[in-house]
Amino acid sequence: MDFSRYENLRALVRANFSETTQRLVDEALEYADGKLAGVCRYDGAPMLDHAAAVASIVISEVGLGRNSAVSSILHDVVRLAHKERPADEFLALTEEIRNRFGEQVVGITMGLANISELKLKASKEQADNFRDLIVSYSEDPRVILIKLADRLEVMRSLGIFPHEKWRKKSWESMNLYAQIAHKLGLYEIKSELEDIALKYLEPKDYEHIITKLEESAEERRAFIARFLVPITERLDRLGMKYHVKSRTKSIFSIWSKMHKQHVPFEGVYDIFAIRIIIDCPHEEEKRLCWTVYSVVTDFYTPNPNRMRDWISIPKSNGYESLHTTVSAEGRWVEVQIRTERMDAVAERGIAAHWRYKGVGQGAQTSEQWLGRLRELMEDTTHSLAQRFDAKPASGEIFVFTPNGDLRKLPEGATLLDFAFDIHTNLGSTCSGGKVNNRAVSIREPLRNGDIVEILTQKNQTPKADWLAFVVTAKARNKIKSFLREEQAKHTRMGREELERKLKNWKLPLTIDEAVGYLARHFKVRTGTEVYALIATQKLDFGTIKELLSRHLSGEAEEQRRAAAAEIERQKAAQQGAKEPPAASQDALVIDDDISKIQYKLARCCNPIKGDEVFGFVTINSGITIHRTDCPNARRMRENYPYRVVEARWRQSAEGAFRVMIRIVAADTTGMANHITEAISRDLKLNIRSINFAAAPNGCLAGTVAVEVPGAGVVDTLVHHIMRIKGVQRAYRIN
């Protein structure tokens, strides 16, 4: 082959690598030349020209090593074979490359081939997903870097492509590849991709900005020279090692600012920036950067709103610099202050400094992986792929709809997950589908790059067993929501029917008591399941009536005997303790320790020590203590007189009871504080909760929950609250 055609690449290799690498690169060029014989670009040049140009970018502009250079040279060989050759021939080719150039080269070229076969769709809404999809094919991090170099070479040569390809490749470069380059800190590649894309997408705007930049170039140079005079004189006196660069804003950045701010070219005040780059040891970096900042702001007034400190806290992609915008000669000037090391990272991105710490942290999102990749590429001379064993975007797959829309799902997602991801109704009625035109069930696991079509049936509804094989939160939540709605519907229907029947049967028990007994009898855990059995007609009312009637005939008598036995037990305990006889020896005595006897205080009236009370024998919960003025007292005494038990408080009982006080007061400053002070400080009572809100007529209304030893304290509590200036009403509520 004619090696002289690729002398620029070979010179780069000689300048950067050993003789062994030089021989390997020549071997790769010769091998690729043979495999790509007769394959040309759109302008008739050999296809190998593109591969050699990509390898040059990889070495000189990205900073990758030997295997990356060889992979760049061979990537079109693998791409075309993967696309056009039968499987057995392709496997033979990759085995040949593996034997001659190594396992890493095969892995990198396969990753590049996979990305090349993606059918990317120009869609702003799905740009993030497409970027993640590109990254997901880059198990070896060098793949994405070489792909960026490949795309940069394509854009530099875009003029040779057919016109119909210009817009698509430009859109992809601007919205996908440039954004990946930005995340990796490859600012030069990012800017060039955006500028070239703009040239083809908005040619008139591009030419307008180019013309304006050329017209103002001489004036800018003269201004910069005047601006720097006092700064450089001071820095020289301080003995600092530095150099100065001026940077014109990228054409795309100027264009974006003009459109976002709706201003002409002249309205973009930071067309250029001045960069002061310090040569100093690493430990002196921060101090000297701030020294230069002080020098600049001594001569020119800074705009505090435009100060950016990325030295104390670097950007997520590793960028470090100190930015300030100062006023000079009636215009704003951006000054960037950084060190040689920071400038190298800013210019050449993550490949400028190579540090390897090791990765083995399991699944990572593509965003996390890009961040990790940046960390791996600082301050070391090791190969990037050495020990890099974390798969990028692990835990994610990307699948397509039949019309080319891209969806991102977690690894292990099924056809049903995909259906719910598209739309809830599609998931709820999904009966199966097709994956790559192959009929599959709703349980079918999906893989990266699958094209998925969903089939539905009108009478299909979500089933409980669907939860066993869906993995996305959306699918699980939607299925559970449907099942809850169905359960609620059954509960409502079953409860309404049972309430109606109990009323007709005139059985002396509440619906909750009836359901509690039925749940125990049929060995189900909740009343909801009982209602579902009724609603779905799996339990008939004839059976229910017979069970409840039989249960009541024995249960009521048993509970009455239990209550009488409890009273007798307490009477005996009183006599043993020689307690003075009570007014009623047949009353249930309520102690302060309710954990030892089978009764509880009713929530409907919240009785406390000192209230007049009675006991009510329930079917399932023992004895419930109610106040005699409880809203439910009359109904219980009239309907179930045989279940009412006289009760009284033990005089020696001690404890804390919670009482709720309703307060209405003037809405004045500090009212809530006055109330809490009266309760806590004056009466030494514990406040458990307080809740106030604005009420009509400039009032404040709310409740205070207070712990009291008994009913006798409640009157004192209310009296103290009423004495507070502005309090209009205070009273105990249930």
Side-chain angles (χ1 to χ4, degrees):
M1 69 169 292
D2 181 12
F3 281 111
S4 63
R5 187 178 181 91
Y6 306 109
E7 187 54 36
N8 288 340
L9 169 61
R10 298 176 76 228
L12 268 175
V13 173
R14 285 195 298 273
N16 289 277
F17 303 118
S18 67
E19 290 185 7
T20 303
T21 299
Q22 294 169 35
R23 287 193 296 271
L24 191 65
V25 168
D26 283 348
E27 183 182 350
L29 284 168
E30 193 165 10
Y31 180 82
D33 185 58
K35 295 295 183 182
L36 296 173
V39 182
C40 297
R41 304 191 80 184
Y42 288 103
D43 62 348
M47 181 60 76
L48 186 55
D49 285 7
H50 164 68
V54 172
S56 296
I57 295 171
V58 161
I59 296 169
S60 62
E61 299 182 52
V62 181
L64 297 179
R66 178 185 68 190
N67 285 327
S68 299
V70 172
S71 299
S72 301
I73 294 168
L74 300 177
H75 82 275
D76 281 326
V77 175
V78 176
R79 176 178 64 84
L80 293 173
H82 191 254
K83 182 178 180 181
E84 299 170 359
R85 293 193 185 183
D88 55 343
E89 291 184 23
F90 177 72
L91 287 173
L93 174 78
T94 54
E95 189 61 29
E96 185 179 14
I97 292 174
R98 181 179 288 106
N99 293 333
R100 294 184 66 167
F101 302 103
E103 184 68 39
Q104 291 188 29
V105 171
V106 173
I108 293 170
T109 53
M110 279 297 298
L112 291 166
N114 287 333
I115 294 176
S116 296
E117 290 187 2
L118 292 176
K119 304 300 181 186
L120 302 177
K121 188 176 182 180
S123 167
K124 283 275 188 187
E125 296 75 22
Q126 297 194 9
D128 286 344
N129 281 347
F130 278 116
R131 285 195 292 270
D132 288 348
L133 176 60
I134 291 168
V135 172
S136 77
Y137 280 100
S138 307
E139 185 167 350
D140 187 314
R142 290 168 293 190
V143 172
I144 195 64
L145 298 173
I146 297 172
K147 184 59 188 176
L148 289 172
D150 173 86
R151 176 47 63 113
L152 181 59
E153 198 287 327
V154 167
M155 292 304 290
R156 287 172 176 174
S157 311
L158 194 56
I160 71 172
F161 284 72
H163 286 204
E164 61 267 19
K165 290 184 177 289
W166 287 1
R167 292 196 67 83
K168 185 174 188 297
K169 288 191 177 295
S170 295
W171 187 93
E172 292 171 358
S173 297
M174 182 181 290
N175 293 283
L176 305 180
Y177 293 104
Q179 302 309 310
I180 294 172
H182 176 75
K183 289 181 185 298
L184 296 176
L186 295 163
Y187 293 113
E188 295 300 314
I189 291 178
K190 168 191 179 290
S191 295
E192 188 173 353
L193 286 173
E194 289 174 334
D195 284 356
I196 300 173
L198 184 67
K199 177 181 177 180
Y200 287 93
L201 293 172
E202 302 291 345
K204 291 183 179 179
D205 290 355
Y206 179 87
E207 289 300 327
H208 171 72
I209 295 171
I210 285 285
T211 303
K212 287 289 187 181
L213 286 172
E214 290 173 350
E215 290 173 355
S216 58
E218 189 59 41
E219 187 274 332
R220 280 200 308 277
R221 282 193 290 271
F223 172 80
I224 290 169
R226 295 193 304 273
F227 178 87
L228 286 172
V229 168
I231 296 173
T232 55
E233 287 179 354
R234 176 73 63 81
L235 294 179
D236 290 341
R237 285 203 303 272
L238 291 172
M240 295 188 68
K241 296 180 181 179
Y242 69 95
H243 68 278
V244 179
K245 292 195 294 189
S246 64
R247 175 196 63 84
T248 303
K249 203 174 189 70
S250 74
I251 300 166
F252 176 79
S253 294
I254 296 171
W255 178 83
S256 295
K257 187 153 287 190
M258 289 168 62
H259 278 258
K260 287 177 182 176
Q261 298 181 357
H262 304 290
V263 294
F265 176 88
E266 292 75 15
V268 182
Y269 62 77
D270 54 348
I271 293 292
F272 65 92
I274 293 170
R275 189 172 296 159
I276 302 173
I277 302 165
I278 310 164
D279 184 3
C280 67
H282 188 276
E283 61 272 12
E284 291 287 301
E285 286 186 336
K286 288 186 180 180
R287 183 181 68 82
L288 291 179
C289 283
W290 284 107
T291 299
V292 174
Y293 173 82
S294 298
V295 170
V296 173
T297 54
D298 278 348
F299 293 107
Y300 303 106
T301 304
N303 180 345
N305 295 325
R306 299 283 297 172
M307 171 69 183
R308 300 291 183 269
D309 176 11
W310 286 306
I311 290 179
S312 301
I313 304 176
K315 283 187 177 182
S316 60
N317 58 19
Y319 181 84
E320 293 176 89
S321 191
L322 195 59
H323 292 197
T324 184
T325 301
V326 298
S327 176
E329 298 182 14
R331 67 199 294 180
W332 291 109
V333 182
E334 182 181 351
V335 180
Q336 300 174 358
I337 303 164
R338 61 178 67 153
T339 65
E340 295 282 2
R341 179 191 66 81
M342 296 174 188
D343 193 57
V345 174
E347 291 291 326
R348 294 183 56 191
I350 49 181
H353 288 253
W354 211 268
R355 181 180 71 245
Y356 185 74
K357 289 184 178 179
V359 178
Q361 299 176 0
Q364 295 176 313
T365 66
S366 59
E367 193 79 14
Q368 291 170 323
W369 178 71
L370 288 172
R372 173 62 68 183
L373 180 56
R374 175 189 59 74
E375 293 177 10
L376 298 179
M377 291 182 161
E378 297 175 1
D379 297 337
T380 179
T381 57
H382 291 106
S383 162
L384 173 62
Q386 183 181 3
R387 296 180 298 165
F388 190 99
D389 55 7
K391 184 178 178 181
S394 177
E396 292 179 350
I397 61 170
F398 298 87
V399 294
F400 294 89
T401 65
N403 64 0
D405 288 330
L406 182 67
R407 315 297 290 202
K408 178 167 66 175
L409 295 168
E411 201 169 31
T414 62
L415 182 99
L416 189 58
D417 286 301
F418 177 82
F420 274 106
D421 190 67
I422 298 294
H423 195 278
T424 300
N425 289 340
L426 196 66
S428 297
T429 57
C430 178
S431 59
K434 294 181 180 179
V435 174
N436 304 324
N437 284 323
R438 175 175 58 90
V440 297
S441 74
I442 59 176
R443 297 171 176 262
E444 179 73 11
L446 302 179
R447 293 169 180 81
N448 225 21
D450 282 346
I451 300 173
V452 185
E453 181 181 354
I454 299 299
L455 302 177
T456 62
Q457 288 183 355
K458 287 184 178 179
N459 61 349
Q460 177 71 291
T461 58
K463 308 292 190 296
D465 64 347
W466 286 11
L467 294 170
F469 58 85
V470 293
V471 300
T472 61
K474 181 176 181 181
R476 296 186 68 82
N477 290 339
K478 294 300 181 182
I479 294 168
K480 287 179 179 179
S481 176
F482 177 86
L483 296 176
R484 282 195 298 269
E485 288 176 8
E486 284 293 293
Q487 187 180 62
K489 184 170 70 175
H490 287 156
T491 299
R492 186 174 62 255
M493 290 173 56
R495 185 179 179 92
E496 288 174 355
E497 291 185 37
L498 183 58
E499 279 182 326
R500 190 165 54 249
K501 290 294 184 181
L502 288 176
K503 188 175 181 180
N504 292 340
W505 295 335
K506 294 183 171 54
L507 294 178
L509 78 172
T510 65
I511 186 168
D512 291 336
E513 293 168 342
V515 169
Y517 172 72
L518 292 172
R520 292 195 303 275
H521 180 84
F522 290 105
K523 294 181 173 57
V524 295
R525 290 183 300 171
T526 64
T528 301
E529 294 174 85
V530 174
Y531 296 135
L533 291 173
I534 295 171
T536 55
Q537 298 181 350
K538 294 177 181 176
L539 180 58
D540 67 274
F541 284 109
T543 302
I544 293 173
K545 184 177 182 181
E546 181 182 350
L547 288 171
L548 294 179
S549 299
R550 191 189 318 149
H551 165 68
L552 284 170
S553 61
E555 188 74 14
E557 182 58 34
E558 183 180 338
Q559 289 293 337
R560 281 197 298 272
R561 285 199 301 270
E566 177 64 22
I567 292 172
E568 290 300 321
R569 185 190 68 77
Q570 291 190 355
K571 286 166 63 178
Q574 283 181 9
Q575 292 169 359
K578 298 182 179 179
E579 182 174 303
S584 173
Q585 288 291 335
D586 293 327
L588 179 67
V589 179
I590 307 168
D591 206 336
D592 56 308
D593 185 2
I594 65 171
S595 62
K596 295 179 181 177
I597 46 179
Q598 290 297 311
Y599 68 78
K600 62 181 181 180
L601 304 179
R603 292 184 179 181
C604 54
C605 55
N606 191 28
I608 64 177
K609 181 186 173 184
D611 289 335
E612 292 187 6
V613 292
F614 68 93
F616 183 77
V617 180
T618 66
I619 297 291
N620 301 308
S621 305
I623 301 169
T624 304
I625 305 302
H626 294 261
R627 283 163 46 190
T628 54
D629 59 351
C630 173
N632 299 315
R634 181 176 177 181
R635 179 182 61 83
M636 288 186 284
R637 288 184 180 277
E638 289 179 353
N639 295 343
Y640 312 106
Y642 54 91
R643 291 162 68 178
V644 172
V645 178
E646 295 302 317
R648 64 178 177 82
W649 298 95
R650 185 185 298 279
Q651 293 302 314
S652 60
E654 295 180 357
F657 300 89
R658 187 170 299 190
V659 65
M660 194 73 73
I661 305 298
R662 175 77 173 174
I663 302 172
V664 178
D667 191 357
T668 58
T669 303
M671 177 56 73
N673 285 338
H674 296 325
I675 293 171
T676 55
E677 285 178 2
I679 299 171
S680 300
R681 187 187 64 191
D682 299 345
L683 296 179
K684 304 295 189 296
L685 297 176
N686 289 329
I687 297 176
R688 287 306 179 188
S689 68
I690 183 167
N691 181 24
F692 282 99
N697 302 321
C699 289
L700 199 66
T703 57
V704 181
V706 184
E707 280 190 353
V708 297
V713 178
V714 177
D715 291 341
T716 304
L717 172 62
V718 171
H719 177 70
H720 263 70
I721 294 172
M722 286 296 296
R723 289 174 57 189
I724 299 170
K725 184 178 180 180
V727 173
Q728 299 170 6
R729 281 184 293 161
Y731 53 92
R732 177 185 175 187
I733 58 175
N734 291 336

